[in-house]
Amino acid sequence: MEFDLERGLDLLVSIVGIATVGQYLWSTRAHFQSSGMSSGATIISVVVAATALFFLAIIWILPQPPLAKIVGLAVQLVSSALFWWAILRSRKARLRFVFDADDPHGLVTDGPFLYLRHPFYTSYIIFWAGWGIATWSSWAVVPVAGIFVLYLIAALDEEKKFSRTEMADAYAAHRKRAGLFWPRLPKSGDRDRSAMPQPGGGCVARGIDAKRRREGERPPPPMRHQFED
């Protein structure tokens, strides 16, 4: 029996997609700490279920280039790796579920949180974008964009809640270091300041030595730094 590459990729993308949605469902019970499901969380759950069914239908009904499925599958796996990294680094933080009505009571600033303020939301967005790529359909843009907007609203809502807690100052400092959904790039001014010679640095020292040579003075021997164990 000849192996059908197209149907094999359809099956693989579908299995990874369903498994990823399943791990999100697991996290709502076993990882995030919330007393109940808010209306916003209910909306996201409905959108997630509807989008998953929509993407499964497109995958199995319409044809897609094998490369699109392979790329989409790779993006899905990257999102899953980011998700589990965030899970491992936030196990003790007792993070709340999306759109929880209560204020946050934990702040994580290491692992993926060192670079992203909301790595869970980033992983969700990447996952749906990857599944959308695998469908190779322009219709996939609509639900992916809707999911992005929902998680953007959720992230901004959480940041407003942080400003009302005793962690407000710590979170403000965290915002300066980490990006919202993607790593914060250094500003050009910061790079310029880091490249400028510091007082007592090599550029200044070389300038003084050159002046002494012009005046016939012998420059002092280089300083040796001693470090104690």
Side-chain angles (χ1 to χ4, degrees):
M1 182 177 179
E2 185 178 352
F3 175 73
D4 190 337
L5 176 61
E6 183 177 356
R7 286 309 176 193
L9 289 173
D10 288 344
L11 182 61
L12 193 56
V13 170
S14 300
I15 290 175
V16 172
I18 294 173
T20 303
V21 173
Q23 74 186 15
Y24 295 162
L25 180 61
W26 165 86
S27 68
T28 64
R29 303 292 183 181
H31 185 75
F32 296 105
Q33 305 292 320
S34 295
S35 57
M37 182 170 287
S38 64
S39 58
T42 301
I43 292 174
I44 285 185
S45 298
V46 171
V47 170
V48 164
T51 304
L53 292 175
F54 179 56
F55 282 179
L56 284 171
I58 294 178
I59 285 290
W60 287 96
I61 295 174
L62 300 179
Q64 299 88 23
L67 182 59
K69 297 176 185 177
I70 294 173
V71 172
L73 181 63
V75 173
Q76 286 179 316
L77 295 176
V78 169
S79 75
S80 186
L82 176 59
F83 173 83
W84 284 107
W85 188 19
I87 286 283
L88 292 174
R89 302 307 299 181
S90 61
R91 284 181 297 180
K92 299 180 180 180
R94 299 182 302 128
L95 299 180
R96 298 194 184 278
F97 193 48
V98 60
F99 285 119
D100 193 283
D102 296 327
D103 291 337
H105 51 195
L107 175 60
V108 186
T109 58
D110 61 348
F113 297 87
L114 180 64
Y115 312 100
L116 309 168
R117 302 201 296 277
H118 303 277
F120 283 108
Y121 297 163
T122 300
S123 71
Y124 304 154
I125 294 169
I126 292 175
F127 164 72
W128 291 111
W131 205 348
I133 292 172
T135 66
W136 203 244
S137 171
S138 58
W139 287 105
V141 176
V142 177
V144 171
I147 288 173
F148 174 82
V149 171
L150 285 173
Y151 283 121
L152 177 61
I153 295 172
L156 297 178
D157 178 65
E158 289 180 18
E159 302 211 333
K160 185 184 298 183
K161 291 175 181 175
F162 265 111
S163 66
R164 302 197 298 255
T165 68
E166 59 183 10
M167 298 176 289
D169 292 340
Y171 194 79
H174 181 50
R175 290 187 62 182
K176 295 179 180 179
R177 295 189 302 267
L180 185 69
F181 292 146
W182 45 83
R184 184 183 296 278
L185 299 176
K187 297 180 180 180
S188 58
D190 296 337
R191 290 195 297 266
D192 294 340
R193 284 193 294 271
S194 63
M196 290 177 62
Q198 302 298 319
C203 293
V204 176
R206 286 194 295 270
I208 294 174
D209 290 345
K211 180 179 179 182
R212 285 173 174 169
R213 282 194 296 270
R214 287 195 301 269
E215 296 175 354
E217 297 181 16
R218 184 177 181 181
M223 295 179 62
R224 297 178 181 272
H225 297 278
Q226 296 182 350
F227 300 92
E228 297 181 358
D229 296 333

